Amino acid sequence: MNLPPLIRSFVLHFGEMGSRWGINRTVGQIYALLYVAPRPLCADDIVEALGISRSNVSMSLRELQAWNLVVLKHLPDDRRDFFTTPDDVWQILRTLAEERKKREVDPTLSVLREILMQPAGSEEEAHAQQRMAEMHDLIEQLTTWYDDVKRLETERLATLLSLGSKITRLLETKDRIVSFGRARKSERPGERRTGAATPRKDPEE
Amino acid sequence: MNLPPLIRSFVLHFGEMGSRWGINRTVGQIYALLYVAPRPLCADDIVEALGISRSNVSMSLRELQAWNLVVLKHLPDDRRDFFTTPDDVWQILRTLAEERKKREVDPTLSVLREILMQPAGSEEEAHAQQRMAEMHDLIEQLTTWYDDVKRLETERLATLLSLGSKITRLLETKDRIVSFGRARKSERPGERRTGAATPRKDPEE
DNA sequence: CATTAATTTCAGAAACTTCTGAAATCACCG
DNA sequence: CGGTGATTTCAGAAGTTTCTGAAATTAATG
Protein backbone atom coordinates (compact mmCIF):
# COMPACT_ATOMS: atom_id res chain seq x y z
CA MET A 1 0.00 0.00 0.00
CA ASN A 2 1.45 3.23 -1.25
CA LEU A 3 -0.48 6.21 0.10
CA PRO A 4 0.09 9.48 1.98
CA PRO A 5 -0.17 8.76 5.72
CA LEU A 6 -3.43 10.62 6.41
CA ILE A 7 -5.23 8.91 3.57
CA ARG A 8 -3.70 5.63 4.56
CA SER A 9 -5.14 5.80 8.10
CA PHE A 10 -8.55 6.67 6.75
CA VAL A 11 -8.52 3.84 4.24
CA LEU A 12 -7.35 1.32 6.82
CA HIS A 13 -9.98 2.39 9.32
CA PHE A 14 -12.73 1.95 6.77
CA GLY A 15 -11.38 -1.43 5.87
CA GLU A 16 -11.72 -2.44 9.52
CA MET A 17 -15.18 -0.96 9.84
CA GLY A 18 -16.27 -2.63 6.65
CA SER A 19 -15.56 -6.04 8.08
CA ARG A 20 -17.69 -5.28 11.13
CA TRP A 21 -20.60 -4.49 8.84
CA GLY A 22 -20.55 -7.58 6.71
CA ILE A 23 -18.96 -5.52 3.93
CA ASN A 24 -15.55 -6.90 3.25
CA ARG A 25 -12.32 -5.19 4.04
CA THR A 26 -11.20 -4.54 0.49
CA VAL A 27 -14.56 -3.11 -0.51
CA GLY A 28 -14.38 -0.75 2.47
CA GLN A 29 -10.87 0.34 1.58
CA ILE A 30 -11.71 0.99 -2.04
CA TYR A 31 -14.72 3.01 -1.05
CA ALA A 32 -12.70 5.09 1.37
CA LEU A 33 -10.06 5.70 -1.25
CA LEU A 34 -12.57 6.84 -3.86
CA TYR A 35 -14.26 9.00 -1.27
CA VAL A 36 -11.17 11.09 -0.53
CA ALA A 37 -9.57 11.03 -3.96
CA PRO A 38 -9.43 14.44 -5.66
CA ARG A 39 -10.44 12.93 -9.03
CA PRO A 40 -12.06 9.73 -10.34
CA LEU A 41 -9.82 6.66 -10.22
CA CYS A 42 -9.58 3.71 -12.58
CA ALA A 43 -9.07 0.12 -11.54
CA ASP A 44 -5.31 0.26 -11.99
CA ASP A 45 -5.02 3.38 -9.83
CA ILE A 46 -6.66 1.36 -7.08
CA VAL A 47 -4.40 -1.66 -7.61
CA GLU A 48 -1.45 0.71 -7.32
CA ALA A 49 -2.75 2.57 -4.26
CA LEU A 50 -3.88 -0.43 -2.20
CA GLY A 51 -1.47 -3.07 -3.47
CA ILE A 52 -4.11 -5.71 -4.15
CA SER A 53 -4.74 -7.84 -7.20
CA ARG A 54 -6.43 -6.54 -10.28
CA SER A 55 -9.16 -9.16 -10.08
CA ASN A 56 -9.95 -8.31 -6.50
CA VAL A 57 -10.42 -4.68 -7.51
CA SER A 58 -12.70 -5.71 -10.32
CA MET A 59 -14.92 -7.80 -8.05
CA SER A 60 -15.00 -5.18 -5.33
CA LEU A 61 -15.97 -2.40 -7.72
CA ARG A 62 -18.74 -4.63 -8.94
CA GLU A 63 -19.94 -4.98 -5.37
CA LEU A 64 -19.85 -1.23 -4.82
CA GLN A 65 -21.84 -0.71 -7.99
CA ALA A 66 -24.43 -3.20 -6.80
CA TRP A 67 -24.80 -1.03 -3.71
CA ASN A 68 -25.11 2.12 -5.85
CA LEU A 69 -22.30 3.61 -3.84
CA VAL A 70 -20.02 4.64 -6.72
CA VAL A 71 -20.46 6.82 -9.76
CA LEU A 72 -19.00 5.79 -13.09
CA LYS A 73 -17.18 8.42 -15.15
CA HIS A 74 -15.68 8.29 -18.62
CA LEU A 75 -12.90 10.50 -19.95
CA PRO A 76 -12.87 11.38 -23.66
CA ASP A 77 -10.62 9.09 -25.72
CA ASP A 78 -10.13 6.62 -22.89
CA ARG A 79 -12.21 3.54 -22.65
CA ARG A 80 -11.31 2.71 -19.08
CA ASP A 81 -13.97 3.12 -16.39
CA PHE A 82 -13.27 5.76 -13.75
CA PHE A 83 -15.02 5.74 -10.40
CA THR A 84 -15.95 8.34 -7.79
CA THR A 85 -18.36 8.69 -4.91
CA PRO A 86 -21.11 11.32 -4.99
CA ASP A 87 -19.95 14.71 -3.71
CA ASP A 88 -22.82 15.17 -1.32
CA VAL A 89 -22.40 13.23 1.94
CA TRP A 90 -26.14 13.42 2.60
CA GLN A 91 -26.75 11.72 -0.69
CA ILE A 92 -24.32 9.00 0.31
CA LEU A 93 -26.15 8.52 3.57
CA ARG A 94 -29.48 8.23 1.79
CA THR A 95 -28.16 5.60 -0.58
CA LEU A 96 -26.67 3.62 2.25
CA ALA A 97 -29.90 3.72 4.21
CA GLU A 98 -31.94 2.75 1.19
CA GLU A 99 -29.74 -0.21 0.33
CA ARG A 100 -29.55 -1.52 3.84
CA LYS A 101 -33.29 -1.27 4.16
CA LYS A 102 -33.75 -3.17 0.93
CA ARG A 103 -31.38 -5.93 1.93
CA GLU A 104 -32.03 -6.29 5.63
CA VAL A 105 -35.22 -4.68 6.79
CA ASP A 106 -37.61 -5.52 3.97
CA PRO A 107 -36.81 -9.25 3.93
CA THR A 108 -37.19 -9.37 7.70
CA LEU A 109 -40.57 -7.70 7.54
CA SER A 110 -41.75 -10.13 4.93
CA VAL A 111 -40.54 -13.17 6.87
CA LEU A 112 -42.35 -11.85 9.94
CA ARG A 113 -45.56 -11.27 8.00
CA GLU A 114 -45.43 -14.70 6.52
CA ILE A 115 -44.94 -16.36 9.89
CA LEU A 116 -47.72 -14.29 11.42
CA MET A 117 -50.17 -15.48 8.76
CA GLN A 118 -49.75 -19.09 9.77
CA PRO A 119 -51.88 -20.65 12.50
CA ALA A 120 -50.10 -21.35 15.75
CA GLY A 121 -50.00 -25.04 16.62
CA SER A 122 -49.36 -24.62 20.34
CA GLU A 123 -49.27 -22.23 23.26
CA GLU A 124 -45.56 -21.84 22.69
CA GLU A 125 -46.03 -20.85 19.06
CA ALA A 126 -48.84 -18.48 19.94
CA HIS A 127 -46.58 -16.71 22.39
CA ALA A 128 -43.81 -16.55 19.81
CA GLN A 129 -46.22 -14.97 17.33
CA GLN A 130 -47.14 -12.38 19.90
CA ARG A 131 -43.50 -11.43 20.25
CA MET A 132 -42.94 -11.41 16.52
CA ALA A 133 -45.96 -9.15 16.10
CA GLU A 134 -44.37 -6.68 18.51
CA MET A 135 -41.18 -6.75 16.53
CA HIS A 136 -43.04 -6.44 13.28
CA ASP A 137 -44.93 -3.38 14.45
CA LEU A 138 -41.82 -1.68 15.72
CA ILE A 139 -40.02 -2.19 12.44
CA GLU A 140 -43.04 -1.05 10.52
CA GLN A 141 -43.24 2.15 12.54
CA LEU A 142 -39.60 2.85 11.93
CA THR A 143 -39.78 2.23 8.20
CA THR A 144 -42.91 4.34 7.85
CA TRP A 145 -41.07 7.17 9.53
CA TYR A 146 -38.06 6.59 7.33
CA ASP A 147 -40.11 6.53 4.12
CA ASP A 148 -41.64 9.79 5.13
CA VAL A 149 -38.48 11.57 6.18
CA LYS A 150 -36.25 10.39 3.34
CA ARG A 151 -38.16 12.56 0.87
CA LEU A 152 -37.16 15.75 2.64
CA GLU A 153 -34.57 17.92 0.97
CA THR A 154 -31.27 18.01 2.74
CA GLU A 155 -31.82 21.44 4.21
CA ARG A 156 -35.05 20.47 5.91
CA LEU A 157 -33.68 17.20 7.08
CA ALA A 158 -30.81 19.07 8.70
CA THR A 159 -33.28 21.41 10.38
CA LEU A 160 -35.25 18.48 11.67
CA LEU A 161 -32.10 16.89 13.06
CA SER A 162 -30.87 20.04 14.70
CA LEU A 163 -34.15 20.40 16.52
CA GLY A 164 -34.11 16.83 17.80
CA SER A 165 -36.23 16.27 20.85
CA LYS A 166 -36.99 19.97 21.21
CA ILE A 167 -39.85 19.22 18.91
CA THR A 168 -41.74 17.28 21.54
CA ARG A 169 -41.52 20.24 23.83
CA LEU A 170 -42.90 22.37 21.07
CA LEU A 171 -45.68 19.85 20.53
CA GLU A 172 -46.59 19.86 24.21
CA THR A 173 -47.38 23.52 23.85
CA LYS A 174 -49.13 23.24 20.52
CA ASP A 175 -51.34 20.43 21.84
CA ARG A 176 -53.02 22.98 23.99
CA ILE A 177 -53.17 25.77 21.43
CA VAL A 178 -53.60 24.38 17.93
CA SER A 179 -55.80 21.33 17.26
CA PHE A 180 -52.96 19.18 16.03
CA GLY A 181 -52.28 16.25 18.32
CA ARG A 182 -55.85 15.03 18.55
CA ALA A 183 -55.45 11.55 17.05
CA ARG A 184 -52.80 10.59 19.56
CA LYS A 185 -54.97 10.18 22.66
CA SER A 186 -56.54 6.90 21.52
CA GLU A 187 -53.32 5.33 20.36
CA ARG A 188 -50.88 4.14 22.97
CA PRO A 189 -47.54 2.86 21.69
CA GLY A 190 -47.04 -0.86 22.13
CA GLU A 191 -50.66 -1.64 21.21
CA ARG A 192 -51.41 -3.26 17.89
CA ARG A 193 -52.69 -0.96 15.17
CA THR A 194 -52.38 -2.77 11.85
CA GLY A 195 -54.54 -5.76 11.19
CA ALA A 196 -51.99 -7.37 8.90
CA ALA A 197 -49.71 -8.78 11.56
CA THR A 198 -52.30 -9.97 14.04
CA PRO A 199 -51.79 -13.64 14.87
CA ARG A 200 -54.64 -16.03 14.19
CA LYS A 201 -55.57 -16.68 17.80
CA ASP A 202 -56.73 -13.11 18.49
CA PRO A 203 -60.32 -13.49 17.25
CA GLU A 204 -61.12 -16.20 19.76
CA GLU A 205 -60.10 -14.18 22.78
CA MET B 1 -32.61 -28.47 15.50
CA ASN B 2 -35.80 -29.44 17.25
CA LEU B 3 -38.31 -26.59 17.22
CA PRO B 4 -41.92 -25.86 16.24
CA PRO B 5 -41.96 -24.74 12.58
CA LEU B 6 -42.89 -21.09 13.14
CA ILE B 7 -40.18 -20.58 15.70
CA ARG B 8 -37.76 -22.49 13.54
CA SER B 9 -38.28 -20.12 10.57
CA PHE B 10 -37.82 -17.11 12.79
CA VAL B 11 -34.65 -18.46 14.35
CA LEU B 12 -33.17 -19.43 11.00
CA HIS B 13 -33.93 -16.03 9.51
CA PHE B 14 -32.20 -14.27 12.37
CA GLY B 15 -29.24 -16.53 11.96
CA GLU B 16 -28.95 -15.43 8.34
CA MET B 17 -29.43 -11.79 9.19
CA GLY B 18 -26.88 -12.04 11.95
CA SER B 19 -24.20 -13.07 9.51
CA ARG B 20 -24.94 -10.07 7.30
CA TRP B 21 -24.32 -7.82 10.27
CA GLY B 22 -21.01 -9.18 11.42
CA ILE B 23 -22.83 -10.92 14.27
CA ASN B 24 -22.36 -14.61 13.83
CA ARG B 25 -25.06 -17.03 12.87
CA THR B 26 -25.26 -18.89 16.16
CA VAL B 27 -25.42 -15.72 18.18
CA GLY B 28 -28.30 -14.53 16.00
CA GLN B 29 -30.15 -17.80 16.40
CA ILE B 30 -29.76 -17.87 20.15
CA TYR B 31 -30.98 -14.32 20.41
CA ALA B 32 -34.02 -15.06 18.26
CA LEU B 33 -34.79 -18.11 20.36
CA LEU B 34 -34.59 -16.23 23.63
CA TYR B 35 -36.68 -13.45 22.16
CA VAL B 36 -39.66 -15.66 21.38
CA ALA B 37 -39.34 -18.13 24.26
CA PRO B 38 -42.22 -17.96 26.76
CA ARG B 39 -39.82 -18.25 29.71
CA PRO B 40 -36.10 -17.83 30.42
CA LEU B 41 -33.89 -20.59 29.00
CA CYS B 42 -30.73 -22.14 30.36
CA ALA B 43 -27.73 -23.14 28.29
CA ASP B 44 -28.84 -26.74 27.97
CA ASP B 45 -32.29 -25.71 26.73
CA ILE B 46 -30.50 -23.88 23.93
CA VAL B 47 -28.23 -26.82 23.12
CA GLU B 48 -31.34 -28.96 22.89
CA ALA B 49 -33.34 -26.50 20.79
CA LEU B 50 -30.65 -25.54 18.28
CA GLY B 51 -28.61 -28.75 18.24
CA ILE B 52 -25.24 -27.05 18.73
CA SER B 53 -22.43 -27.78 21.13
CA ARG B 54 -22.53 -26.76 24.72
CA SER B 55 -19.35 -24.74 24.41
CA ASN B 56 -20.65 -22.83 21.44
CA VAL B 57 -23.69 -21.85 23.48
CA SER B 58 -21.48 -20.72 26.31
CA MET B 59 -19.38 -18.49 24.07
CA SER B 60 -22.36 -17.07 22.24
CA LEU B 61 -24.17 -16.20 25.47
CA ARG B 62 -21.04 -14.45 26.57
CA GLU B 63 -21.11 -12.44 23.36
CA LEU B 64 -24.76 -11.52 23.87
CA GLN B 65 -24.01 -10.41 27.40
CA ALA B 66 -21.19 -8.23 26.14
CA TRP B 67 -23.76 -6.53 23.90
CA ASN B 68 -26.16 -6.13 26.86
CA LEU B 69 -28.79 -7.86 24.79
CA VAL B 70 -29.79 -10.52 27.28
CA VAL B 71 -31.06 -10.48 30.83
CA LEU B 72 -29.82 -12.98 33.38
CA LYS B 73 -32.39 -14.65 35.64
CA HIS B 74 -31.99 -17.03 38.57
CA LEU B 75 -34.59 -19.46 39.82
CA PRO B 76 -34.68 -20.30 43.53
CA ASP B 77 -32.78 -23.48 44.39
CA ASP B 78 -31.20 -23.75 40.98
CA ARG B 79 -27.76 -22.46 40.36
CA ARG B 80 -27.96 -22.49 36.58
CA ASP B 81 -28.12 -19.19 34.71
CA PHE B 82 -31.33 -18.53 32.80
CA PHE B 83 -31.51 -15.98 30.01
CA THR B 84 -34.20 -13.82 28.44
CA THR B 85 -34.43 -10.69 26.37
CA PRO B 86 -36.08 -7.56 27.74
CA ASP B 87 -39.86 -7.53 27.25
CA ASP B 88 -39.97 -4.08 25.73
CA VAL B 89 -38.97 -4.01 22.07
CA TRP B 90 -38.21 -0.30 22.29
CA GLN B 91 -35.75 -1.01 25.02
CA ILE B 92 -34.10 -3.61 22.83
CA LEU B 93 -33.83 -1.10 20.02
CA ARG B 94 -32.23 1.44 22.33
CA THR B 95 -29.65 -1.04 23.53
CA LEU B 96 -28.83 -2.08 20.00
CA ALA B 97 -28.41 1.52 18.90
CA GLU B 98 -26.28 2.35 21.90
CA GLU B 99 -23.96 -0.59 21.42
CA ARG B 100 -23.54 -0.08 17.70
CA LYS B 101 -22.78 3.57 18.29
CA LYS B 102 -20.20 2.67 20.90
CA ARG B 103 -18.49 0.12 18.66
CA GLU B 104 -18.76 1.70 15.25
CA VAL B 105 -19.62 5.35 15.28
CA ASP B 106 -17.55 6.62 18.20
CA PRO B 107 -14.29 5.03 17.03
CA THR B 108 -14.87 6.41 13.54
CA LEU B 109 -15.42 9.88 14.87
CA SER B 110 -12.27 9.72 16.89
CA VAL B 111 -10.19 8.46 13.98
CA LEU B 112 -11.55 11.29 11.85
CA ARG B 113 -10.76 13.89 14.50
CA GLU B 114 -7.29 12.58 14.91
CA ILE B 115 -6.57 12.70 11.19
CA LEU B 116 -8.05 16.17 10.92
CA MET B 117 -5.67 17.46 13.59
CA GLN B 118 -2.62 16.54 11.57
CA PRO B 119 -1.13 18.94 9.03
CA ALA B 120 -1.67 18.02 5.38
CA GLY B 121 1.56 17.31 3.53
CA SER B 122 0.21 17.84 0.03
CA GLU B 123 -2.69 19.09 -2.07
CA GLU B 124 -4.00 15.56 -2.20
CA GLU B 125 -4.00 15.22 1.58
CA ALA B 126 -5.60 18.62 1.98
CA HIS B 127 -8.43 17.59 -0.29
CA ALA B 128 -8.83 14.33 1.59
CA GLN B 129 -9.09 16.26 4.84
CA GLN B 130 -11.79 18.42 3.36
CA ARG B 131 -13.80 15.31 2.53
CA MET B 132 -13.18 13.78 5.92
CA ALA B 133 -14.34 16.97 7.57
CA GLU B 134 -17.62 16.71 5.67
CA MET B 135 -18.06 13.16 6.83
CA HIS B 136 -17.11 14.08 10.37
CA ASP B 137 -19.68 16.85 10.51
CA LEU B 138 -22.42 14.66 9.13
CA ILE B 139 -21.77 11.96 11.69
CA GLU B 140 -21.56 14.50 14.44
CA GLN B 141 -24.92 15.96 13.50
CA LEU B 142 -26.48 12.54 13.49
CA THR B 143 -25.06 11.55 16.85
CA THR B 144 -26.06 14.84 18.42
CA TRP B 145 -29.61 14.22 17.25
CA TYR B 146 -29.44 10.66 18.51
CA ASP B 147 -28.10 11.66 21.93
CA ASP B 148 -30.93 14.11 22.23
CA VAL B 149 -33.72 11.84 21.07
CA LYS B 150 -32.65 8.71 22.93
CA ARG B 151 -33.60 10.27 26.24
CA LEU B 152 -37.26 10.55 25.28
CA GLU B 153 -39.69 8.14 26.88
CA THR B 154 -41.07 5.56 24.53
CA GLU B 155 -44.44 7.23 24.21
CA ARG B 156 -42.97 10.51 23.06
CA LEU B 157 -40.54 8.85 20.75
CA ALA B 158 -43.46 7.03 19.14
CA THR B 159 -45.30 10.31 18.75
CA LEU B 160 -42.26 11.87 17.14
CA LEU B 161 -41.96 8.96 14.74
CA SER B 162 -45.59 8.96 13.80
CA LEU B 163 -45.38 12.63 12.91
CA GLY B 164 -42.34 12.15 10.73
CA SER B 165 -41.87 14.85 8.14
CA LYS B 166 -45.18 16.51 9.01
CA ILE B 167 -43.15 18.34 11.58
CA THR B 168 -41.35 20.40 8.98
CA ARG B 169 -44.68 21.51 7.61
CA LEU B 170 -45.68 22.49 11.09
CA LEU B 171 -42.43 24.39 11.47
CA GLU B 172 -42.96 26.28 8.23
CA THR B 173 -46.08 27.72 9.77
CA LYS B 174 -44.59 28.38 13.19
CA ASP B 175 -41.64 30.18 11.63
CA ARG B 176 -44.01 32.92 10.70
CA ILE B 177 -46.01 32.94 13.91
CA VAL B 178 -43.86 32.05 16.90
CA SER B 179 -40.23 33.21 17.14
CA PHE B 180 -38.78 29.73 17.06
CA GLY B 181 -36.75 29.11 13.94
CA ARG B 182 -34.59 32.21 14.24
CA ALA B 183 -31.16 30.57 14.48
CA ARG B 184 -31.60 28.72 11.23
CA LYS B 185 -31.25 31.61 8.80
CA SER B 186 -27.50 31.97 9.30
CA GLU B 187 -26.72 28.29 9.23
CA ARG B 188 -26.92 26.52 5.90
CA PRO B 189 -26.45 22.73 6.03
CA GLY B 190 -23.26 21.51 4.41
CA GLU B 191 -21.24 24.39 5.78
CA ARG B 192 -18.78 23.83 8.61
CA ARG B 193 -19.98 24.74 12.04
CA THR B 194 -17.68 23.18 14.60
CA GLY B 195 -14.14 24.36 14.86
CA ALA B 196 -12.86 21.00 16.06
CA ALA B 197 -12.70 19.28 12.72
CA THR B 198 -11.38 22.12 10.60
CA PRO B 199 -8.27 21.09 8.70
CA ARG B 200 -5.09 23.05 9.30
CA LYS B 201 -4.99 24.78 5.94
CA ASP B 202 -8.16 26.82 6.55
CA PRO B 203 -6.56 29.74 8.43
CA GLU B 204 -4.29 30.64 5.48
CA GLU B 205 -7.13 30.96 3.00
C1' DC C 1 -12.01 -10.08 -38.96
C1' DA C 2 -7.40 -10.35 -36.72
C1' DT C 3 -4.98 -7.65 -33.18
C1' DT C 4 -4.53 -5.56 -29.04
C1' DA C 5 -5.66 -3.81 -24.64
C1' DA C 6 -8.82 -3.63 -20.92
C1' DT C 7 -11.80 -6.21 -18.01
C1' DT C 8 -14.15 -10.13 -15.94
C1' DT C 9 -14.59 -14.75 -14.44
C1' DC C 10 -13.33 -18.61 -11.92
C1' DA C 11 -10.92 -22.56 -9.65
C1' DG C 12 -8.22 -23.19 -6.15
C1' DA C 13 -4.84 -21.20 -2.41
C1' DA C 14 -4.59 -18.46 1.66
C1' DA C 15 -6.64 -16.35 5.46
C1' DC C 16 -10.00 -16.07 8.71
C1' DT C 17 -14.06 -17.42 11.52
C1' DT C 18 -16.79 -20.59 13.80
C1' DC C 19 -17.52 -24.66 16.21
C1' DT C 20 -16.35 -28.72 18.88
C1' DG C 21 -14.81 -31.98 22.53
C1' DA C 22 -11.54 -32.52 26.01
C1' DA C 23 -9.45 -30.44 29.80
C1' DA C 24 -9.45 -26.83 33.22
C1' DT C 25 -11.92 -23.97 36.30
C1' DC C 26 -15.43 -22.65 39.34
C1' DA C 27 -18.70 -22.85 43.09
C1' DC C 28 -21.44 -25.14 46.03
C1' DC C 29 -22.21 -28.94 49.51
C1' DG C 30 -21.34 -32.16 52.99
C1' DC D 1 -11.26 -29.16 52.11
C1' DG D 2 -12.46 -33.04 48.80
C1' DG D 3 -16.18 -34.32 45.79
C1' DT D 4 -19.66 -33.23 42.44
C1' DG D 5 -21.76 -31.11 38.74
C1' DA D 6 -22.19 -27.07 36.06
C1' DT D 7 -19.65 -23.86 33.24
C1' DT D 8 -15.80 -21.92 30.69
C1' DT D 9 -11.65 -22.08 28.11
C1' DC D 10 -8.94 -23.42 24.42
C1' DA D 11 -6.37 -25.96 20.72
C1' DG D 12 -7.25 -27.51 16.72
C1' DA D 13 -10.91 -29.35 13.11
C1' DA D 14 -14.42 -27.87 10.01
C1' DG D 15 -16.36 -24.48 7.41
C1' DT D 16 -16.53 -20.00 5.10
C1' DT D 17 -14.85 -15.99 2.92
C1' DT D 18 -11.53 -13.50 0.51
C1' DC D 19 -8.02 -13.10 -2.71
C1' DT D 20 -5.12 -14.34 -6.57
C1' DG D 21 -3.24 -15.52 -11.18
C1' DA D 22 -4.37 -17.70 -15.28
C1' DA D 23 -7.71 -18.15 -18.76
C1' DA D 24 -11.79 -16.36 -20.99
C1' DT D 25 -14.33 -12.52 -22.57
C1' DT D 26 -15.29 -8.10 -24.35
C1' DA D 27 -14.73 -4.14 -27.21
C1' DA D 28 -12.37 -1.02 -29.97
C1' DT D 29 -9.12 -0.35 -34.08
C1' DG D 30 -6.83 -0.80 -38.36
Side-chain angles (χ1 to χ4, degrees):
Chain A
M1 191 181 290
N2 177 26
L3 281 172
L6 300 189
I7 296 181
R8 187 196 178 84
S9 319
F10 181 74
V11 162
L12 290 176
H13 177 77
F14 267 75
E16 289 304 309
M17 276 304 150
S19 21
R20 289 218 186 161
W21 275 62
I23 290 159
N24 93 37
R25 191 155 39 78
T26 308
V27 174
Q29 290 182 354
I30 293 180
Y31 188 79
L33 181 65
L34 295 176
Y35 177 79
V36 298
R39 54 179 182 80
L41 303 182
C42 73
D44 284 315
D45 295 335
I46 298 168
V47 168
E48 166 89 6
L50 302 181
I52 59 183
S53 76
R54 188 49 236 270
S55 55
N56 194 2
V57 170
S58 180
M59 307 247 269
S60 301
L61 284 172
R62 186 154 273 276
E63 178 89 0
L64 285 171
Q65 282 175 285
W67 280 80
N68 282 312
L69 283 171
V70 290
V71 177
L72 221 160
K73 289 261 153 87
H74 279 109
L75 302 186
D77 299 330
D78 191 334
R79 62 196 181 81
R80 289 174 299 173
D81 290 343
F82 287 78
F83 297 89
T84 356
T85 62
D87 283 343
D88 178 8
V89 284
W90 288 88
Q91 186 46 52
I92 293 173
L93 181 68
R94 283 168 210 269
T95 305
L96 216 62
E98 195 59 28
E99 291 292 326
R100 288 195 87 88
K101 174 174 184 283
K102 196 164 79 193
R103 281 152 214 254
E104 287 151 22
V105 179
D106 295 348
T108 298
L109 268 183
S110 86
V111 166
L112 287 173
R113 287 201 185 110
E114 205 166 285
I115 297 177
L116 289 169
M117 303 275 283
Q118 293 177 243
S122 62
E123 273 298 306
E124 204 189 353
E125 285 188 310
H127 176 267
Q129 281 187 323
Q130 212 56 50
R131 291 292 274 162
M132 292 184 215
E134 285 168 37
M135 182 181 285
H136 172 276
D137 292 355
L138 175 66
I139 298 175
E140 200 172 59
Q141 271 184 69
L142 292 170
T143 55
T144 302
W145 176 82
Y146 164 77
D147 283 338
D148 188 17
V149 160
K150 78 176 174 196
R151 290 174 220 289
L152 294 176
E153 311 131 57
T154 297
E155 189 171 352
R156 278 168 199 223
L157 188 48
T159 305
L160 197 60
L161 279 191
S162 73
L163 282 175
S165 67
K166 285 195 208 74
I167 279 163
T168 53
R169 262 166 271 149
L170 177 64
L171 285 175
E172 301 287 86
T173 325
K174 293 313 128 202
D175 261 3
R176 257 128 253 167
I177 301 165
V178 196
S179 58
F180 188 87
R182 264 180 303 191
R184 285 184 298 117
K185 287 279 133 59
S186 57
E187 184 189 307
R188 294 180 40 74
E191 275 173 26
R192 315 287 338 289
R193 277 173 308 113
T194 64
T198 309
R200 273 293 102 73
K201 56 170 281 208
D202 273 358
E204 276 89 325
E205 286 192 334
Chain B
M1 191 182 287
N2 178 25
L3 280 172
L6 301 189
I7 296 180
R8 185 195 178 85
S9 320
F10 181 75
V11 163
L12 290 177
H13 176 79
F14 266 75
E16 289 305 309
M17 276 304 148
S19 19
R20 288 220 187 159
W21 276 62
I23 289 158
N24 94 37
R25 191 155 38 79
T26 309
V27 174
Q29 291 183 353
I30 293 179
Y31 187 80
L33 181 66
L34 294 177
Y35 177 79
V36 297
R39 54 181 182 77
L41 302 181
C42 73
D44 284 315
D45 295 334
I46 297 169
V47 168
E48 165 90 5
L50 302 181
I52 59 183
S53 77
R54 187 49 235 269
S55 54
N56 194 1
V57 171
S58 180
M59 308 247 267
S60 301
L61 284 172
R62 187 153 272 276
E63 177 88 1
L64 285 170
Q65 282 176 285
W67 279 80
N68 282 311
L69 283 171
V70 290
V71 178
L72 222 161
K73 289 263 152 87
H74 278 109
L75 303 185
D77 299 331
D78 190 334
R79 60 199 180 79
R80 290 174 297 173
D81 289 343
F82 286 78
F83 297 89
T84 357
T85 62
D87 282 342
D88 179 7
V89 284
W90 288 88
Q91 187 44 52
I92 293 173
L93 181 68
R94 284 167 209 271
T95 306
L96 216 62
E98 196 59 29
E99 292 293 326
R100 288 195 87 89
K101 173 173 185 285
K102 196 165 79 194
R103 281 153 214 253
E104 288 151 21
V105 179
D106 294 348
T108 298
L109 268 183
S110 87
V111 166
L112 287 173
R113 286 200 186 110
E114 205 166 286
I115 297 177
L116 289 168
M117 303 275 283
Q118 293 177 243
S122 62
E123 274 297 307
E124 203 189 352
E125 284 187 312
H127 177 267
Q129 281 186 323
Q130 213 55 51
R131 292 292 274 161
M132 293 184 214
E134 286 168 36
M135 181 181 286
H136 173 275
D137 292 355
L138 175 65
I139 298 174
E140 201 173 58
Q141 272 185 68
L142 292 170
T143 54
T144 304
W145 175 81
Y146 165 77
D147 282 339
D148 188 15
V149 160
K150 78 177 175 197
R151 289 175 222 289
L152 293 177
E153 312 131 56
T154 295
E155 190 171 353
R156 284 178 191 210
L157 188 48
T159 304
L160 196 60
L161 278 192
S162 72
L163 282 176
S165 67
K166 287 196 207 74
I167 279 162
T168 53
R169 263 166 270 150
L170 177 64
L171 285 176
E172 302 286 84
T173 325
K174 294 313 129 204
D175 260 5
R176 259 129 251 167
I177 300 165
V178 197
S179 58
F180 189 87
R182 265 179 302 192
R184 285 184 297 117
K185 284 282 132 55
S186 58
E187 183 189 305
R188 294 181 38 77
E191 275 173 26
R192 318 284 339 290
R193 276 173 311 114
T194 62
T198 309
R200 275 293 102 75
K201 56 172 282 209
D202 273 359
E204 277 89 326
E205 287 192 333

